[in-house]
Amino acid sequence: MKNIVILISGRGSNMEAIVRALDAERWPARIAAVISNKPDVKGLAFAQARGIPTAVVPSKEFASREAFDAALRETVDGFAPDLVVLAGFMRILTAPFVEHYAGRMLNIHPSLLPLFPGLHTHRQALEAGVLEHGATVHFVTAELDHGPTVLQARIEVLPGDTEESLAQRLLEKEHVIYPQAVRLFVEGKLSIDDGAVRIAAATSS
Ligand code: GRF
């Protein structure tokens, strides 16, 4: 049984997709906790209603990034995670925090990385005039929105698309690839080889 800790900052729809897939597909894992840096967010209410332990480490109340990350690390480690999942967690993390979870922390970013790191990815895609947009699940490294890619999903950019329409169509894809990536991790099928992710072939049982 692998322990998963999920970090959120708001709506938590990716967290929800992971929780539902874990239950439906009976992964060898449990959600040890859902932790938010903001109180009273929708994702916390969902987790509480499912009986999942929750915690809030309020980023607003810390004077420095280092102090917040130290408190967050203590809270996360209190749940003995095998895997930390960033799901709409809107914080830039310090290098020591990231290094502490090296090889066991995943993020989803709404672009086809390395294109469009940072915020407003749908706007960036529209402004660049790309015909294809997407989302990336990757291992987290100290460089923001970088790190070995686990899975990507693609959508076509259609005439008339707006930031909102892209976000909405892409979110449906995020809800597919993020649970898939987390499942691969908890089943021990992911490894990192020279900076690239290797996915072990499915075995028939
Ligand atoms: C998602 O689009 C995710 O890719 C990005 O932030 C959004 C979070 O949505 N990092 P939710 O909180 O999972 O609903």
Side-chain angles (χ1 to χ4, degrees), residues 14 18 35 85 91-92 95 123 126 138 173 187:
N14 276 292
I18 291 164
I35 301 172
V85 173
R91 293 280 309 178
I92 293 174
R123 191 186 308 165
L126 289 172
H138 63 97
K173 302 275 189 180
E187 290 181 341

Side-chain angles (χ1 to χ4, degrees), residues 107-118:
N107 181 43
I108 191 161
H109 182 75
S111 80
L112 291 173
L113 290 173
L115 289 177
F116 316 137

Side-chain angles (χ1 to χ4, degrees), residues 31-193:
I31 308 295
V34 171
I35 301 172
S36 174
N37 67 311
K38 291 187 182 166
D40 304 323
V41 295
K42 191 170 165 215
L44 284 174
F46 170 83
Q48 280 154 4
R50 304 277 289 214
I52 297 169
T54 61
V56 176
V57 183
S59 46
K60 262 181 138 178
E61 290 175 21
F62 291 83
S64 70
R65 213 173 266 295
E66 288 70 25
F68 170 72
D69 279 10
L72 182 63
R73 173 175 156 172
E74 203 177 311
T75 304
V76 170
D77 282 351
F79 294 101
D82 297 290
L83 175 66
V84 176
V85 173
L86 308 182
F89 187 64
M90 303 302 285
R91 293 280 309 178
I92 293 174
L93 296 162
T94 57
F97 185 94
V98 171
E99 273 149 27
H100 180 66
Y101 298 107
R104 55 187 180 120
M105 183 154 65
L106 294 174
N107 181 43
I108 191 161
H109 182 75
S111 80
L112 291 173
L113 290 173
L115 289 177
F116 316 137
L119 295 174
H120 309 302
T121 56
H122 311 306
R123 191 186 308 165
Q124 291 190 59
L126 289 172
E127 283 172 2
V130 292
L131 299 176
E132 197 180 56
H133 187 38
T136 304
V137 178
H138 63 97
F139 279 98
V140 178
T141 56
E143 196 177 346
L144 180 69
D145 297 331
H146 276 71
T149 297
V150 181
L151 294 175
Q152 287 186 314
R154 295 178 151 70
I155 59 169
E156 216 183 325
V157 180
L158 303 171
D161 258 328
T162 61
E163 284 182 59
E164 292 69 32
S165 66
L166 285 179
Q168 195 183 354
R169 276 210 315 289
L170 192 56
L171 198 62
E172 289 171 23
K173 302 275 189 180
E174 292 181 33
H175 294 168
V176 175
I177 61 168
Y178 214 178
Q180 278 175 354
V182 174
R183 181 176 177 169
L184 287 168
F185 184 97
V186 298
E187 290 181 341
K189 291 183 177 151
L190 297 184
S191 56
I192 304 176
D193 177 10

